[in-house]
Each structure stands twice: as structure tokens, then as C-alpha cells.
Amino acid sequence: MAALKRTAFAMALAATALTGLPGCRPASTARATTPSADDAVADASELPARRALAREIYVAGVPLLARYAVVHARNIDRASAEYQGPLNVLHWAMVSAESSRAEPGSTVSASLDLRAEPMVLRVPALPAARTYVMQLTDLLASVPAQISSRSSGNQAGDYLVVGPGWQGTVPVGITDVIHADTTLVSLSGWLQQLASDSVHSRQQLHRGFRVQPLSRYLGIAPPPPTATAWPQPLPADLARQSALFFGQLDALLSFAPMQPGDRDLRRRLQQLEITPSQRNLAHAATRALRDGMADGQREIDQRRVAVEDCQSDGLQGRDGDYSDAVSRACAAQRTLKEG
């Protein structure tokens, strides 16, 4: 039922954005009379609040749309030029000394699908001289964990990555449990290359890192697969300028199940729906949504210019997470741009 309501609301928002007409209620509950002039004045007075709410929701929702677009291009859409391979698989690439990094090494990326069951990330034992970092980032641009030679040492470890609401038993042998707030999580990492490394030794190192479902880790039967219905990401220009943004955000909230302490993004999103009594303001209300988006994007752009680099310490807290909603949106858009 919840999924049906989400779909219906997203369709209503999309119809409103495309045609300027409200998402009408059934005839039995719709207002039978034409809105009066007093109604129009009262509704018009709400437009500034609608614009402010749209700005807030846009800034909060940018990471979800931007990071999902990257996951979709890299690990879901096989026709994408950026496609790297399937979900739940580590994808390695060499970084030469001539690249942006000061020293050569290997980068690794993956998208973890936690809907059916948790995933186990294995980090092998490494020589003390070799540095590495593995960062997990959810669709909200929060960083649930960063595993590195600096924070965790170079000993081997098995890390259980669980999605929101998981209440299973932690198996013996798990080094730590990483709780993510969304059911899709991105992994990015870097492994230092030493002068003594050969192609074969690097390949052996890469094989030591592994991602596998919890059921495979335990040697038991896997749970039933989750039905897959991947929303098609909005083109970048529509994601920044069209009120279709809010319909896409509503659809993607299925990857961010509501948790205790939720900021109630869903309730605030529903406040943007145009009611029958506001039919005479449908165009103005939709324009308020777009104006609110423009306000939010302007704030994101100003932050980007101010710090010059969305990965700088000016945006991140001590734990590697981004310091506020604008910083998360800025970083997420940069990730989308760089691919």
C-alpha cells in the first residue's frame, strides 16, 4: 500500500509539472464549487512558503537523485557509457603517477544492494608499509564508515554492511557492523602501489578484497531476490530545473525506508501537492517549485565557489561526513559531474 501511494503521488506531481494542472482527487472528494476570490488571495499568500519548502526539499533531495544517477549509470544501465559492471562486485582500476594523485595506486568502486540481505566486505591483511582506504557513502551522501590503514590498521577484517531496519544476528567473525541509511550504498577506495609491485602481485592484492552476500559468507541459502524496478534517472538539466524533480525524489525514497528520528521528508514532500482548492493557482504553484529549486541550486553553487572543491575540509566534518545539507548536495553534484 505504501508503495502504491508513493507511485500515485509521484504520478500526480509529474502530471502537475508537465501540464500545470493539479493532481486531482477523486470526484467524490473534490470541491464541487469554483474557488472564490478570497480563496485565491489566501492561496497566493502561501506561495512564498511553498517556494521556501521547495528550496529545502530540493537541497535535501539533490544527493539522492545525483548519487542514484551515478549508481544507475555505473552498475545498472548496461547501455551506459559509464557502465563498469554489476552490483555487489568490486571494480578495480589502475592510477598512474601522471594522474591527479601524487603517487600511483589502484582505485576501487562498487555499488552495494542491501535490499534483500546485508553484504560482507573483506579487507585482507596488508604489509605495514602499504596504505589503503575504503569509504562507504549512502544515497543521502552520508558516510556510514571509512575503513583505512590509518583508522583500522592493516590487519584482516570482515565488515558487515547492513541496510536500514536490519535486525538479524551478527555472525561470529565479523569485525564490525556498518549501518547504512539507504538500501543502495556506494563504495570507493584506493590502494597504494609500492615500487616492488608487479602486475601479478597487484592482482593478488585485489583478489584479497572481496564483497559477498551474507548468505554466501555463512554458506546458507540466500533469501528470495528483491523485485527490481529501477527508476530511470532524470536528465541532468531536468533534475536542476523541472518540477519533475519532486516526483523522482518521491520514487527514490523507496531506497531510504523511514527510520525513527526521520526528518519527515515524505510529509514535507506531500505538502507540495496541489489540492483541488488551489486549481486556480496550479501554474503559480508549479512556478514556485521551480523558483525554490533555483534558490537551492544558487545556494549550492555559491558554496561550491566559496570552497572551490567539494571534497575539501571546508565541507567535511572530522568523521569524513559532509557538514550540512548544502555541502552534501554540492558534493553529490560533483560526483555526478565527474562520473
Side-chain angles (χ1 to χ4, degrees):
M1 180 63 70
L4 181 61
K5 289 176 65 178
R6 264 198 306 273
T7 302
F9 178 58
M11 291 174 64
L13 273 174
T16 299
L18 286 173
T19 67
L21 297 175
C24 297
R25 294 175 182 172
S28 60
T29 61
R31 200 176 196 175
T33 59
T34 302
S36 67
D38 290 339
D39 290 332
V41 172
D43 291 340
S45 68
E46 298 173 0
L47 292 178
R50 175 180 288 269
R51 177 173 176 169
L53 181 60
R55 185 214 66 83
E56 178 188 0
I57 293 177
Y58 176 75
V59 171
V62 159
L64 195 60
L65 268 73
R67 297 198 68 86
Y68 174 77
V70 173
V71 171
H72 192 274
R74 289 179 175 178
N75 307 113
I76 296 173
D77 183 6
R78 294 178 179 271
S80 167
E82 290 80 35
Y83 185 75
Q84 296 177 342
L87 296 160
N88 302 328
V89 176
L90 296 178
H91 305 285
W92 289 92
M94 294 301 302
V95 179
S96 67
E98 291 73 28
S99 70
S100 59
R101 283 192 176 274
E103 57 181 323
S106 305
T107 61
V108 63
S109 62
S111 296
L112 308 183
D113 182 0
L114 308 176
R115 294 174 302 163
E117 62 176 318
M119 304 296 294
V120 179
L121 169 63
R122 169 161 294 176
V123 176
L126 296 170
R130 194 182 300 272
T131 60
Y132 78 95
V133 60
M134 295 280 168
Q135 179 168 297
L136 295 164
T137 308
D138 64 24
L139 290 184
L140 300 175
S142 295
V143 179
Q146 188 178 86
I147 307 164
S148 68
S149 50
R150 176 181 297 181
S151 63
S152 308
N154 281 28
Q155 64 271 23
D158 289 329
Y159 298 86
L160 184 65
V161 186
V162 305
W166 185 77
Q167 297 180 342
T169 302
V170 178
V172 175
I174 291 296
T175 305
D176 197 7
V177 180
I178 299 169
H179 295 270
D181 289 333
T182 62
T183 53
L184 285 178
V185 176
S186 297
L187 181 150
S188 59
W190 180 76
L191 177 65
Q192 180 188 23
Q193 179 180 324
L194 302 179
S196 58
D197 286 348
S198 65
V199 173
H200 177 71
S201 64
R202 286 197 300 270
Q203 291 174 343
Q204 289 293 103
L205 282 171
H206 295 171
R207 292 192 189 100
F209 292 84
R210 190 160 69 237
V211 166
Q212 58 183 322
L214 177 59
S215 57
R216 186 181 304 163
Y217 178 85
L218 295 175
I220 61 176
T226 303
T228 300
W230 303 110
Q232 183 66 30
L234 285 178
D237 56 340
L238 289 182
R240 295 195 184 197
Q241 300 176 14
S242 170
L244 288 170
F245 172 95
F246 300 98
Q248 172 109 117
L249 174 59
D250 188 68
L252 294 182
L253 285 174
S254 63
F255 298 108
M258 189 176 297
Q259 296 295 300
D262 191 285
R263 293 180 58 204
D264 208 7
L265 181 60
R266 292 162 178 80
R267 178 184 59 80
R268 290 181 290 133
L269 186 59
Q270 290 174 347
Q271 290 174 4
L272 296 179
E273 187 176 8
I274 297 175
T275 64
S277 64
Q278 297 171 320
R279 290 176 185 173
N280 58 314
L281 286 176
H283 288 285
T286 302
R287 185 169 62 251
L289 297 187
R290 292 197 296 265
D291 289 344
M293 293 175 66
D295 293 340
Q297 188 58 52
R298 190 157 41 247
E299 191 172 355
I300 294 168
D301 292 339
Q302 289 171 349
R303 180 68 58 85
R304 180 180 295 108
V305 171
V307 300
E308 295 184 353
D309 183 352
C310 289
Q311 302 297 329
S312 72
D313 291 340
L315 292 179
Q316 289 183 300
R318 292 182 179 180
D319 59 355
D321 211 344
Y322 295 100
S323 55
D324 58 26
V326 177
S327 298
R328 287 190 291 273
C330 183
Q333 285 187 346
R334 182 175 189 240
T335 299
L336 177 60
K337 181 179 179 180
E338 293 183 348

